[in-house]
């Protein structure tokens, strides 16, 4: 099954940090791609069981701002709840001028014995941050401070 | 000269290079890069672009600077230094970084390699147990909201009051481990919730705790070294690199958003969104400065609690008290911070992002302890190659707003490092070379391989020859803990 979204880590920018580009057929799909990229930056989701869940709803007129805030919220819960994530199913709808994100963060408390942990993301930066539509696909470039 | 930029870069001396104001529209001052020719040629394109972006920020004075460990960061380059007039200039969270008061700490001991080698595995295991590292790690200190706010205002002093350290530790920290003007009332609940359980934790990325050796032949200034408690003869020292953890990261995130809106109000435009800034004297600027100081104090406290844990680990393994083992602090210094300091131009807000304060012996801001030596500067190299202890100079105060380098500086992306070497293999190779590594994340370990960094010796030579810091000793790793 081919996915409607994808992401790849970028190597030539911000050497000490982690940069990725996510893309998708729609704004919603690019949200999914970027979410998966940030989850995988912190830990291998396949090694994280469930057990911790948080429903999150956010809205903004600008999908670029909404995505930035959403990714920042994922980073926040990593520290505030001491968890890493298995998945974050989400839907993005548009009501008038407002984009509405409904997401479910699913993860588990950090366990160094059972989880494959990666980088402790400090923040989502605005450096080179851009959400745009090119060639019929939506793309976002994100640099994470790690 | 082949450089990763089309800009004109003029040689001022063999270690100082200048990009004139004509090279980018909007530059208010020239940009200066401290580096040998070889280091300059290896610098990535981001350095040139970012240091000249910084040179466009309102109220900048004299030069936008980049140190020889500089590389592509976000907003400011890593290794960036810029000073802004307190009345006409700005303050920028991007010029401090997410990890507010990320810094270095060095602890000396009376132990020698011969004392430690037989117990190294036991020692590293104990340190790994007592100093939590890695993603989402929490510390042993449990704080109420009220107590955490006291940490924000009192920094390392809070630790000493609570028994996590010795009173005499405080004199051996930048600002005595406590910066005035921290106001917890303007810190968000988000920031508090993100950091309240993380006191005494290392984090991940390039943060580490390292057990090191100082050999006689790697002491370059024996008099200064002795004054700082570095005696050589295969002496064991311990280095810590970490910052304000999730609390500081959230303070930076919160104010980046506030500053984006404030910039529109103040009519400020920047070349990179991550350079979002506000006039220093504006309400937003003052609030960020105060919140940043809360995070800076929390970072001093974080490294102090870690020091307490290190002392306990050594005491347990060697069966003597930390005092009997001579575990005095050499120094603790910030390398991600903004501070108001007085220079020839007057009071300036000096931003150091991946750069270290380097005040010389003549600086009236140094405590008596360092009036002969100059302020200690601790520069962490890669975990494979070693680190350096240096001291600041009066020339640094004159030339670089009292600033110098902070580490080796990366030359390779994290992804490329992981493709080049596997964490488990690296751990084994390092063990064979006498460096015992305990790591939470094997991929994180690979990302920090020595091959991903510049040659720290050449980086140190360039600041030594430029006269902005003087070499004291090289510190060779034998044990490393990584997140």
């Amino acid at each position: 099954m081919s996915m409607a979204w994808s992401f790849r880590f970028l190597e030539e920018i911000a050497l000490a940090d982690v940069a990725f580009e996510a893309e998708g057929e729609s704004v919603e799909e690019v949200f999914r791609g970027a979410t998966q990229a940030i989850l995988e930056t912190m830990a291998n989701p396949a090694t994280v069981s469930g057990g911790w869940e948080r429903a999150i709803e956010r809205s903004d007129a600008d999908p670029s701002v909404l995505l930035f805030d959403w990714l920042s919220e994922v980073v926040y819960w990593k520290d505030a709840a001491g968890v890493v994530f298995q998945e974050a199913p989400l839907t993005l709808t548009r009501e008038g001028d407002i984009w509405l994100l409904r997401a479910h963060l699913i993860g588990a408390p950090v366990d160094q014995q059972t989880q494959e942990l990666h980088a402790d993301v400090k923040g989502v930066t605005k450096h080179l941050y851009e959400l745009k539509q090119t060639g019929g696909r939506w793309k976002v470039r994100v640099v994470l401070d790690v | 000269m082949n450089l990763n930029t089309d800009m004109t870069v003029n040689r001022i001396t063999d270690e100082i290079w200048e990009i004139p104001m004509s090279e980018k529209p909007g530059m208010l001052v020239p940009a200066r890069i401290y580096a040998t020719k070889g280091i300059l040629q290896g610098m990535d394109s981001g350095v040139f672009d970012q240091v000249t972006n910084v040179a466009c920020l309102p109220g900048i004075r004299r030069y936008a600077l980049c140190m020889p460990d500089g590389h592509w960061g976000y907003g400011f380059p890593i290794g960036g230094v810029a000073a802004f007039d307190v009345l006409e200039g700005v303050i920028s969270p991007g010029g401090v970084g997410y990890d507010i008061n990320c810094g270095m700490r060095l602890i000396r001991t009376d132990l020698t390699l011969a004392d430690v080698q037989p117990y190294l595995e036991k020692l590293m295991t104990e340190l790994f147990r007592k100093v939590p590292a890695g993603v989402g790690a929490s510390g042993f200190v449990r704080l109420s909201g009220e107590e955490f706010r006291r940490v924000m205002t009192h920094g390392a002093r809070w630790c000493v009051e609570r028994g996590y350290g010795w009173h005499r530790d405080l004199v051996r920290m930048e600002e005595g481990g406590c910066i005035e003007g921290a106001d917890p009332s303007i810190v968000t609940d988000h920031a508090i919730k993100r950091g309240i359980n993380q006191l005494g934790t290392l984090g991940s990325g390039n943060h580490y705790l390292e057990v090191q050796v100082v050999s006689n032949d790697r002491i370059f200034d024996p008099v200064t070294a002795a004054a700082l408690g570095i005696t050589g003869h295969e002496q064991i020292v311990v280095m810590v690199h970490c910052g304000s953890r999730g609390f500081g990261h959230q303070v930076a995130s919160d104010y980046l958003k506030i500053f984006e809106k404030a910039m529109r109000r103040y009519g400020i435009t920047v070349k990179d969104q991550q350079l979002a800034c506000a006039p220093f004297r504006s309400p937003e600027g003052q609030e960020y400065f105060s919140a940043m100081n809360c995070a800076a104090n929390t970072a001093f406290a974080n490294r102090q609690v870690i020091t307490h844990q290190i002392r306990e680990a050594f005491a347990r393994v060697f069966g003597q008290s930390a005092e009997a083992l001579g575990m005095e602090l050499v120094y603790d210094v910030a390398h991600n911070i903004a501070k108001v300091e007085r220079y020839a131009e007057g009071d300036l807000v000096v931003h150091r992002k991946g750069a270290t304060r380097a005040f010389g012996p003549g600086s009236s801001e140094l405590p008596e302890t360092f009036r002969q030596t100059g302020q200690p500067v601790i520069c962490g190299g890669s975990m494979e190659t070693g680190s350096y202890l240096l001291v600041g100079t009066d020339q640094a105060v004159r030339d670089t707003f009292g600033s110098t380098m902070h580490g080796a500086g990366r030359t390779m992306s994290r992804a490329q490092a992981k493709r080049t070497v596997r964490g488990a293999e690296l751990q084994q190779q390092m063990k064979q070379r006498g460096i015992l590594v305990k790591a939470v994340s094997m991929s994180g370990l690979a990302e920090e391989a020595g091959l991903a960094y510049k040659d720290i010796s050449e980086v140190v030579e360039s600041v030594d020859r430029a006269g902005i810091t003087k070499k004291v000793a090289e510190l060779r790793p034998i044990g490393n803990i990584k997140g």
Side-chain angles (χ1 to χ4, degrees):
Chain A
M1 186 182 75
S2 67
M3 279 187 287
W5 55 263
S6 63
F7 72 87
R8 66 189 179 97
F9 290 106
L10 307 173
E11 297 195 14
E12 302 309 320
I13 58 176
L15 289 183
D17 299 306
V18 170
F20 66 82
E21 186 177 75
E23 61 177 271
E25 291 171 354
S26 62
V27 183
E28 184 179 52
E29 293 297 347
V30 83
F31 267 60
R32 292 195 175 113
T35 301
Q36 189 65 21
I38 201 168
L39 299 195
E40 290 192 19
T41 301
M42 293 188 267
N44 178 353
T47 66
V48 181
S49 63
W52 180 93
E53 292 190 27
R54 186 76 46 172
I56 292 163
E57 215 175 278
R58 278 182 166 269
S59 61
D60 201 285
D62 184 343
S64 162
V65 172
L66 185 60
L67 178 57
F68 186 87
D69 288 349
W70 157 241
L71 296 177
S72 299
E73 179 125 12
V74 174
V75 174
Y76 165 77
W77 282 111
K78 176 259 302 173
D79 285 329
V83 295
V84 284
F85 308 102
Q86 182 190 64
E87 59 176 333
L90 61 86
T91 61
L92 186 69
T93 54
R94 194 168 188 182
E95 295 174 10
D97 289 340
I98 300 297
W99 293 83
L100 176 64
L101 172 73
R102 289 193 180 91
H104 219 72
L105 261 179
I106 300 169
V110 169
D111 182 345
Q112 296 182 358
Q113 303 307 314
T114 61
Q115 297 158 349
E116 184 187 323
L117 300 171
H118 297 158
D120 197 3
V121 178
K122 297 172 186 170
V124 184
T125 81
K126 284 283 176 83
H127 179 54
L128 302 175
Y129 179 76
E130 189 179 28
L131 174 66
K132 63 181 179 184
Q133 191 177 22
T134 50
R137 287 180 73 79
W138 285 86
K139 289 186 179 181
V140 69
R141 187 176 45 199
V142 181
V143 177
L144 304 171
D145 186 357
V146 301
Chain B
M1 185 167 54
N2 284 330
L3 298 176
N4 291 314
T5 182
D6 293 331
M7 294 181 193
T8 298
V9 181
N10 297 320
R11 177 187 168 280
I12 304 298
T13 70
D14 283 348
E15 291 82 30
I16 304 174
W17 307 84
E18 185 169 300
I19 306 172
M21 288 163 56
S22 56
E23 289 304 298
K24 182 178 279 187
M27 281 177 73
L28 300 170
V29 293
R32 280 196 167 187
I33 298 173
Y34 278 69
T36 59
K37 186 176 173 184
I39 288 176
L40 185 75
Q41 287 177 313
M43 279 181 167
D44 57 64
S45 61
V47 169
F48 303 97
D49 194 37
Q50 293 185 325
V51 74
T52 48
N53 287 345
V54 172
C56 300
L57 291 174
I60 189 166
R61 292 292 181 258
R62 215 184 311 171
Y63 307 110
L65 299 166
C66 187
M67 295 296 135
D69 49 340
H71 58 83
W72 192 331
Y74 47 86
F76 274 53
I78 306 302
V81 178
F84 301 89
D85 185 272
V86 291
L87 297 176
E88 298 172 14
V90 295
I91 185 166
S92 171
V96 173
Y98 281 82
D99 200 359
I100 295 166
N101 190 4
C102 185
M104 307 293 302
R105 178 174 280 227
L106 186 65
I107 303 154
R108 70 171 302 285
T109 77
D110 287 335
L111 293 163
T112 66
L113 181 60
D115 298 324
V116 170
Q117 196 75 68
Y119 303 99
L120 187 59
E121 174 72 48
K122 189 177 175 188
L123 176 65
M124 297 312 294
T125 301
E126 184 67 7
L127 288 168
F128 195 54
R129 189 178 72 79
K130 292 200 68 104
V131 184
V135 182
S138 57
F140 76 94
V141 182
R142 289 286 163 264
L143 298 170
S144 65
E146 186 184 337
E147 195 78 346
F148 192 39
R149 287 181 183 87
R150 197 167 162 78
V151 173
M152 294 177 210
T153 54
H154 287 64
R157 269 192 235 154
W158 176 88
C159 302
V160 172
E161 287 168 12
R162 287 284 295 260
Y164 303 132
W166 308 332
H167 190 75
R168 61 183 180 275
D169 290 339
L170 298 173
V171 78
R172 293 183 169 272
M173 297 178 201
E174 185 171 346
E175 301 288 338
C178 176
I179 299 176
E180 299 295 321
D183 178 5
S185 72
I186 42 91
V187 168
T188 63
D189 282 348
H190 249 51
I192 291 170
K193 283 180 184 154
R194 203 172 152 189
I196 197 166
N197 290 326
Q198 294 188 330
L199 211 56
T201 62
L202 271 181
S204 75
N206 62 354
H207 293 165
Y208 60 82
L209 184 167
E210 196 163 87
V211 179
Q212 304 167 333
V213 180
V214 194
S215 305
N216 285 12
D217 63 347
R218 303 312 294 163
I219 293 180
F220 312 104
D221 179 347
V223 174
T224 301
L228 298 176
I230 301 300
T231 51
H233 302 286
E234 306 293 296
Q235 180 187 13
I236 296 295
V237 297
V238 186
M239 183 175 281
V240 176
H241 176 211
C242 63
S244 48
R245 308 284 291 113
F247 175 65
H249 310 164
Q250 192 62 40
V251 167
S253 298
D254 291 341
Y255 277 91
L256 188 65
K257 282 193 85 164
I258 292 168
F259 276 30
E260 277 182 358
K261 289 177 184 157
M263 278 203 307
R264 290 196 284 274
R265 191 158 53 254
Y266 295 112
I268 299 171
T269 55
V270 291
K271 304 269 185 192
D272 178 340
Q273 289 183 84
Q274 195 65 34
L275 288 174
C277 56
F280 180 66
R281 287 294 185 206
S282 67
E284 294 88 349
Q286 288 297 292
E287 283 186 11
Y288 169 68
F289 190 52
S290 188
M292 185 211 69
N293 284 334
C294 289
N297 286 338
T298 305
F300 284 129
N302 189 36
R303 293 193 288 272
Q304 185 63 32
V305 171
I306 288 173
T307 299
H308 172 77
Q309 295 293 85
I310 291 168
R311 284 169 171 160
E312 287 208 340
F314 270 75
R316 185 182 169 100
V317 170
F318 295 101
Q320 295 181 65
S321 72
E323 283 184 298
L325 293 169
M327 297 187 73
E328 301 290 337
L329 197 58
V330 175
Y331 203 61
D332 179 304
V333 70
H335 55 227
N336 277 6
I337 202 157
K339 297 173 77 174
V340 175
E341 294 168 357
R342 179 157 293 180
Y343 293 95
E345 293 90 343
D347 286 342
L348 303 177
V349 193
V350 181
H351 292 58
R352 298 188 180 96
K353 183 179 179 187
T356 311
R357 194 184 75 171
F359 285 176
S363 175
S364 59
E365 294 189 39
L366 288 183
E368 194 57 41
T369 313
F370 302 117
R371 285 293 180 83
Q372 296 295 317
T373 59
Q375 173 220 304
V377 170
I378 304 160
C379 291
S382 80
M383 61 189 175
E384 291 188 76
T385 54
S387 300
Y388 278 82
L389 176 65
L390 306 95
V391 283
T393 65
D394 294 332
Q395 188 179 335
V397 175
R398 287 192 300 273
D399 291 356
T400 57
F401 305 110
S403 308
T404 189
M405 58 178 282
H406 84 308
R410 282 190 85 92
T411 56
M412 187 184 284
S413 72
R414 292 181 176 278
Q416 192 182 346
K418 278 189 287 193
R419 270 205 316 277
T420 310
V421 63
R422 294 180 64 83
E425 284 170 19
L426 179 64
Q427 190 178 37
Q428 194 56 35
Q429 288 166 10
M430 290 178 68
K431 188 174 182 183
Q432 285 166 2
R433 297 207 305 272
I435 308 169
L436 197 58
V437 182
K438 302 272 182 188
V440 172
S441 164
M442 280 299 141
S443 63
L445 182 65
E447 289 173 9
E448 292 299 317
L451 55 85
Y453 284 87
K454 298 177 193 180
D455 175 358
I456 192 171
S457 297
E458 190 179 354
V459 176
V460 166
E461 282 303 326
S462 58
V463 291
D464 188 89
R465 289 209 295 265
I468 57 172
T469 351
K470 286 291 163 197
K471 285 189 297 182
V472 176
E474 185 181 354
L475 318 165
R476 176 169 56 87
I478 59 165
N480 187 297
I481 287 172
K482 293 203 77 69

